[in-house]
Amino acid sequence: MATAMVSSAGALLAQLKEQHPLLKLHALSHLIAFVGSFWAEISSSVPIIESLCEDEDFGQRQLAALLVSKIFFYLGELNDSLSYALKAGPLFDVSEDSDYAHTLLAKAIDEYADLKCKESNQDATKVDPKLEAIVERMLDKCMWHWKYHQAIGIAIECRRLDKVEEAIFKGDSLDLLSYCLNISRSIVSLREYRREILLLLVKIHHKLLNPDYLSICQCLMDLDDPEGVVSVLEKLLRSPFKYQNLLAFQIAFDLVENERQAFLLSVRDRLPEPQTQTSGVTQLGSSEPDGATNLDVNVGSDLTSPSEDVNMTDEANSTIGNVMDPAEVSYSDRLVKAKRILSGETSIQLTLQFLYSHNRSDLLILKAIKQSVEMSDTVCHSATIYANAIMHAGTTVDTFLRKNLDWLGNATNWAKFSATAGLGVIHRGHLQHGRELMAPYLPPVGANGGGSPYSEGGALYALGLIHANHGGGIIQFLRDSLCCTNVEIIQHGACLGLGLSALGTADEEIYNDMRNILYTDSAVAGEAAGISMGLLMVGSASEKASEMLAYAHETQHEKIIRGLALGIALTVYGREEEADTLIEQMTRDQDPILRYGGGLLFLHLGLSCIPNLSRFHGLCLLSLNLIIHMLDMGQHLRLAFLVRVRV
């Protein structure tokens, strides 16, 4: 009742001027209790209270600092409020359930996170030990109350990986490790800091009694550590327990889903070779069989027929058993299967079977569109061809084209190029018979071409679409086709096909072939070479980007400049802050097209959040041709298309 009758803090403020320390202590204790009601009146005495904070002879300096902190909080001066809260030491209660405590804790965490970020960038800023103590008390409070997810979130934001490790071991380790992995991928924006977190997660996983090998390999893949993945796969494949063998296959499938061709090839090549000389086992790893000229290319019968690989594996096992012990026989068999999965053949075959058996496209729609399109309307003719390719993408169903060859022949020039390339979209992933399917349209090796250069160039582009990201069996043929012709349209298609089939491999020899085409200064071939160089180096942040930029300054062809601009953007796919220097350089360039290219570099901001290349892969397969054509249109249309790509 006495508290309710207090109408002024004047008496307590008067006691602050007394000489006896007990009177000052009494005044401070009661003023803190009433500060929420009388902060406006108390604020006039802030200089007196501040002097008590600075008085070394006064034994309750921290109490005075806490009162000043609360006064500044109500005045809206959060920086001063936090400064005095730090001076209050342990009297600042991090567990207090009030707006004052919640606001200052958030302020303290933000301030600490900023200082730790500057410290990691080797700035001269030093973290206040008192501020660090408050953050540590907050983290300890979270872990004391079993709020480990909250503790991990704060610790990651504050760059306290030691506290992250402590929280993981105190809580449900596997659940918290998964939570931490998701945070590092979705929230942490700095690439180098994300790598530090992933390295910590790998270390913690290995300390567990039953580590999650799937998560370990996900982290190792993000760290671009193929040797670590190989060691895990070998351990699981050699295990006598069947569930660990199956786990190795699941890891291989997960790696393939990310479609990073260079990484997959690196993992596959580092795995040991099966200890056998049997030819059947060796053939399992091939991506395209020899002597394909007499094979049946009927897609339906091919996909539904029994796989010959199973028979070869069984035969190989019987042969291996004569020279090796049963454990080595089983290990070699599992190793062959793992390599086959890593090559992408298994996933592609399953995808082809699924898309073929679940194809629900309506050919009557295409027939109606075809009949309504006038023969002279080349735009609608091309649009119908594109529609057919997208409707049947990956299904291997080209019935519409086979039944309308005469109508298809009405396409001319680049429309014929796109029509032939559409076969590549339809037969995407048909690796074994891709070259045979396109054989009627391909240019003869060693000659400059005997048919339409648009059809031949489109066929080479189609081969790249078929073998996109899995080009081991077709890259050499595309290189030979590129080097054996001087027809710029055929070079255009060969460059695009080669860039897609060697996507992300950063192969120096292929890059040199494309650079030679670029240096011919042919507008048509050079444009494709610029884009394909970017596809080849996608996500590598290679120094080749500087070389591409230098040539963009030298050439006079706008087509080549635009192709190089897109290629440079692709080289920094997913590299985040590593692309900032290049963006700054291009956006300040004197050439307006290159300034526009600097805007294209922001493509990496829209795609870097994607955990794998699947969406980018689809962009290459279905939209690359549209990008090429839109590069020749108005700038507003180009920018609008790129905005859609980011979404």
Side-chain angles (χ1 to χ4, degrees):
M1 293 297 295
T3 302
M5 294 176 60
V6 174
S7 59
S8 174
L12 295 173
L13 293 173
Q15 291 182 17
L16 293 176
K17 300 177 182 180
E18 298 292 338
Q19 296 297 323
H20 201 285
L22 290 179
L23 293 175
K24 296 179 181 179
L25 175 60
H26 177 270
L28 290 174
S29 302
H30 286 78
L31 285 172
I32 287 178
F34 298 131
V35 68
S37 302
F38 301 110
W39 60 268
E41 184 179 358
I42 300 172
S43 63
S44 61
S45 300
V46 165
I48 299 175
I49 306 173
E50 286 180 325
S51 65
L52 295 177
C53 297
E54 304 298 332
D55 188 358
E56 296 182 357
D57 296 330
F58 183 59
Q60 298 297 326
R61 296 166 59 192
Q62 291 182 340
L63 188 63
L66 181 62
L67 177 58
V68 175
S69 174
K70 290 192 174 185
I71 294 171
F72 279 124
F73 168 74
Y74 287 110
L75 289 172
E77 301 291 339
L78 296 184
N79 290 329
D80 292 333
S81 178
L82 178 60
S83 176
Y84 279 98
L86 296 178
K87 294 180 181 180
L91 294 183
F92 176 63
D93 187 6
V94 297
S95 60
E96 180 183 332
D97 187 14
S98 65
D99 292 341
Y100 165 74
H102 295 163
T103 304
L104 283 197
L105 281 174
K107 178 73 174 175
I109 291 172
D110 291 342
E111 185 77 17
Y112 183 74
D114 290 341
L115 292 175
K116 292 293 287 185
C117 183
K118 293 178 181 178
E119 188 180 69
S120 66
N121 293 332
Q122 299 180 345
D123 289 350
T125 307
K126 187 177 180 180
V127 179
D128 188 345
K130 296 178 180 178
L131 179 61
E132 190 169 47
I134 286 181
V135 174
E136 289 184 350
R137 282 159 52 198
M138 182 63 188
L139 291 170
D140 292 338
K141 171 200 166 187
C142 292
M143 287 185 274
W144 177 259
H145 292 284
W146 304 321
K147 297 180 179 179
Y148 297 109
H149 292 82
Q150 184 178 2
I152 288 175
I154 296 173
I156 288 179
E157 184 179 358
C158 295
R159 295 176 176 262
R160 290 296 302 270
L161 297 185
D162 57 326
K163 288 295 182 179
V164 172
E165 184 174 3
E166 180 182 346
I168 289 174
F169 280 117
K170 285 185 176 181
D172 183 357
S173 298
L174 291 179
D175 176 61
L176 294 174
L177 282 167
S178 177
Y179 174 73
C180 196
L181 178 60
N182 291 334
I183 283 182
S184 67
R185 287 179 164 182
S186 60
I187 295 178
V188 178
S189 59
L190 295 177
R191 183 182 178 85
E192 288 302 319
Y193 182 44
R194 188 186 304 117
R195 288 182 58 86
E196 294 179 20
I197 297 174
L198 294 175
L199 286 171
L200 173 66
L201 296 184
V202 172
K203 184 181 76 171
I204 295 174
H205 268 295
H206 283 301
K207 290 182 179 179
L208 299 180
L209 185 61
N210 296 309
D212 183 355
Y213 290 109
L214 279 171
S215 297
I216 290 176
C217 288
Q218 287 179 13
C219 295
L220 292 173
M221 183 186 61
D222 291 341
L223 292 168
D224 198 19
D225 183 6
E227 293 183 357
V229 175
V230 169
S231 65
V232 172
L233 289 177
E234 278 198 84
K235 179 179 179 180
L236 295 175
L237 290 172
R238 286 190 177 276
S239 172
F241 301 106
K242 186 175 181 179
Y243 78 93
Q244 290 197 338
N245 304 151
L246 296 176
L247 183 60
F249 298 146
Q250 183 60 55
I251 290 173
F253 276 116
D254 287 350
L255 294 176
V256 172
E257 272 191 26
N258 289 274
E259 296 185 334
R260 291 175 55 185
Q261 184 175 193
F263 185 83
L264 292 175
L265 292 176
S266 182
V267 172
R268 191 186 66 180
D269 294 342
R270 281 177 167 82
L271 284 173
E273 291 296 327
Q275 297 181 12
T276 176
Q277 299 298 323
T278 305
S279 60
V281 177
T282 306
Q283 289 174 1
L284 280 173
S286 64
S287 61
E288 187 168 348
D290 296 330
T293 55
N294 296 322
L295 291 176
D296 180 13
V297 297
N298 186 303
V299 176
S301 61
D302 180 60
L303 292 176
T304 56
S305 62
S307 174
E308 295 180 359
D309 294 328
V310 177
N311 296 330
M312 287 190 293
T313 303
D314 294 338
E315 182 183 350
N317 286 342
S318 63
T319 305
I320 296 172
N322 296 328
V323 295
M324 295 192 301
D325 61 84
E328 286 299 319
V329 171
S330 299
Y331 171 67
S332 296
D333 181 46
R334 292 191 291 267
L335 194 59
V336 168
K337 291 178 181 177
K339 286 198 168 192
R340 182 172 174 80
I341 293 171
L342 288 171
S343 70
E345 294 177 35
T346 304
S347 298
I348 290 171
Q349 184 71 9
L350 293 173
T351 302
L352 284 173
Q353 290 176 354
F354 177 84
L355 292 176
Y356 177 78
S357 60
H358 290 74
N359 177 31
R360 299 293 183 267
S361 59
D362 191 347
L363 293 179
L364 293 177
I365 296 176
L366 290 172
K367 183 179 179 181
I369 296 175
K370 168 181 164 292
Q371 292 174 349
S372 63
V373 173
E374 297 181 4
M375 300 296 291
S376 59
D377 194 342
T378 57
V379 174
C380 291
H381 186 277
S382 298
T384 307
I385 295 173
Y386 290 146
N388 173 64
I390 295 174
M391 285 172 62
H392 297 95
T395 64
T396 70
V397 177
D398 56 3
T399 307
F400 178 78
L401 297 179
R402 293 183 183 275
K403 289 184 177 180
N404 298 278
L405 292 176
D406 294 338
W407 176 82
L408 190 64
N410 294 328
T412 59
N413 299 336
W414 288 107
K416 181 174 291 188
F417 179 95
S418 300
T420 312
L423 286 170
V425 177
I426 294 173
H427 293 282
R428 168 194 172 188
H430 205 177
L431 305 183
Q432 291 186 343
H433 306 311
R435 182 173 171 182
E436 182 180 356
L437 288 165
M438 301 307 302
Y441 310 99
L442 291 171
V445 178
N448 288 331
S452 169
Y454 294 98
S455 180
E456 293 175 351
L460 293 172
Y461 179 24
L463 278 180
L465 291 169
I466 292 172
H467 293 81
N469 211 32
H470 298 282
I474 203 65
I475 286 178
Q476 189 58 47
F477 173 77
L478 290 172
R479 290 185 63 190
D480 294 340
S481 300
L482 178 64
C483 297
C484 294
T485 182
N486 294 321
V487 182
E488 60 179 7
I489 300 166
I490 299 178
Q491 291 176 338
H492 182 98
C495 282
L496 292 178
L498 194 54
L500 283 172
S501 59
L503 182 68
T505 58
D507 188 291
E508 285 289 337
E509 294 183 358
I510 299 176
Y511 178 84
N512 291 335
D513 291 342
M514 295 179 180
R515 182 176 57 186
N516 292 336
I517 298 299
L518 181 69
Y519 286 171
T520 62
D521 208 37
S522 166
V524 174
E527 178 188 26
I531 296 173
S532 299
M533 290 161 75
L535 290 172
L536 180 69
M537 298 290 178
V538 63
S540 64
S542 171
E543 295 181 357
K544 305 293 185 185
S546 301
E547 183 179 334
M548 296 163 66
L549 182 60
Y551 188 77
H553 286 116
E554 296 177 9
T555 185
Q556 301 297 316
H557 295 288
E558 291 188 2
K559 281 180 173 288
I560 296 179
I561 297 175
R562 288 195 292 266
L564 287 170
L566 180 57
I568 293 170
L570 293 174
T571 63
V572 291
Y573 162 81
R575 304 299 291 199
E576 300 167 271
E577 67 272 11
E578 293 183 29
D580 291 345
T581 303
L582 196 55
I583 292 174
E584 183 71 17
Q585 182 180 357
M586 292 188 69
T587 52
R588 295 181 179 276
D589 199 281
Q590 293 182 355
D591 190 318
I593 300 179
L594 287 177
R595 289 201 299 272
Y596 153 72
L600 274 177
L601 280 169
F602 282 104
L603 188 66
H604 85 283
L605 296 176
L607 295 174
S608 60
C609 61
I610 305 172
N612 56 52
L613 279 173
S614 297
R615 181 174 165 191
F616 177 71
H617 189 192
L619 170 67
C620 290
L621 297 180
L622 301 179
S623 302
L624 183 58
N625 204 39
L626 293 176
I627 292 177
I628 295 169
H629 288 294
M630 286 187 178
L631 287 172
D632 293 327
M633 298 182 183
Q635 198 171 50
H636 295 293
L637 179 57
R638 293 198 299 270
L639 293 176
F641 178 76
L642 289 175
V643 169
R644 290 186 180 183
V645 171
R646 287 190 60 187
V647 175

